[in-house]
């Protein structure tokens, strides 16, 4: 921390910094991440066995928050006030899951909203990481919608 920050640091320094991000900043960080994971996988044994089979798990989560001035907070399906996020993890039978894609959504939205483009993004990331074998997309029943299945089938022709 001393190398990154000089002077006195208040506990909210990081939070204040992150709240100053605009949508454009978030998109830039997302673009960096989309490039970083495939390069990391190319230079490390991040996903051993990905030439045979890999699993892409899609799910959503609600992270509870506290306070009144949080942006994007809403009550979700579980009646908890929090941030709603889509998360895709990539794994193999020999590797622990790594986060392949994330997307923050406003308040209490339906699980399948935006899941088709999210699934397509996660599949592209998996293939860019070097997954050459069978890619099995797993999700709960909320994602079994025509748009999500069509997006998965359109991108995964193997």
């Amino acid at each position: 921390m001393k190398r990154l920050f000089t002077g006195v640091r208040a506990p909210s320094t990081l939070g204040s910094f992150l709240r100053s991000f605009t949508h454009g900043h978030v998109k830039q960080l997302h673009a960096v991440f989309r490039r970083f994971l495939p390069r990391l996988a190319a230079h490390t044994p991040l996903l051993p066995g990905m030439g045979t089979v890999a699993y892409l798990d899609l799910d959503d989560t609600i992270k509870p928050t506290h306070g009144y001035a949080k942006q994007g907070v809403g009550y979700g399906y579980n009646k908890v006030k929090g941030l709603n996020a889509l998360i895709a993890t990539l794994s193999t039978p020999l590797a622990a899951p790594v986060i392949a894609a994330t997307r923050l959504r406003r308040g209490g939205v339906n699980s399948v909203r935006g899941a088709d483009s999210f699934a397509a993004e996660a599949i592209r990331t998996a293939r860019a990481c070097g997954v050459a074998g069978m890619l099995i997309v797993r999700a709960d029943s909320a994602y079994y919608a025509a748009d999500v299945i069509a997006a998965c089938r359109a991108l995964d022709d193997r």
Side-chain angles (χ1 to χ4, degrees):
M1 293 297 285
K2 290 179 183 178
R3 289 187 298 173
L4 294 175
F5 301 105
T6 60
V8 177
R9 296 177 304 277
S12 66
T13 302
L14 181 60
S16 298
F17 171 69
L18 292 175
R19 281 190 294 279
S20 71
F21 280 23
T22 65
H23 183 67
H25 293 126
V26 173
K27 297 293 274 183
Q28 289 173 343
L29 287 172
H30 189 68
V32 169
F33 175 75
R34 280 195 321 260
R35 292 182 190 103
F36 174 75
L37 188 63
R39 289 183 182 162
L40 180 64
H43 291 90
T44 63
L46 185 65
L47 296 164
M50 67 182 167
T52 307
V53 65
Y55 304 105
L56 185 64
D57 294 295
L58 306 176
D59 205 357
D60 64 327
T61 186
I62 295 179
K63 178 68 178 157
T65 58
H66 307 283
Y68 298 105
K70 307 278 186 195
Q71 291 182 348
V73 172
Y75 288 94
Y77 59 86
N78 60 359
K79 309 298 183 223
V80 172
K81 183 180 178 184
L83 295 169
N84 187 334
L86 285 173
I87 300 173
T89 58
L90 183 60
S91 64
T92 70
L94 304 172
V98 295
I99 296 174
T102 61
R103 186 173 294 171
L104 188 61
R105 303 182 304 167
R106 179 175 287 283
V109 298
N110 191 350
S111 293
V112 76
R113 182 173 180 214
D116 53 345
S117 63
F118 181 72
E121 175 187 332
I123 290 170
R124 284 189 202 101
T125 300
R127 293 300 183 195
C129 285
V131 173
M134 183 187 316
L135 180 61
I136 299 172
V137 178
R138 304 184 294 191
D140 63 21
S141 61
Y143 297 95
Y144 289 108
D147 293 343
V148 177
I149 293 170
C152 293
R153 293 184 75 181
L155 286 172
D156 202 31
D157 57 357
R158 297 165 210 227

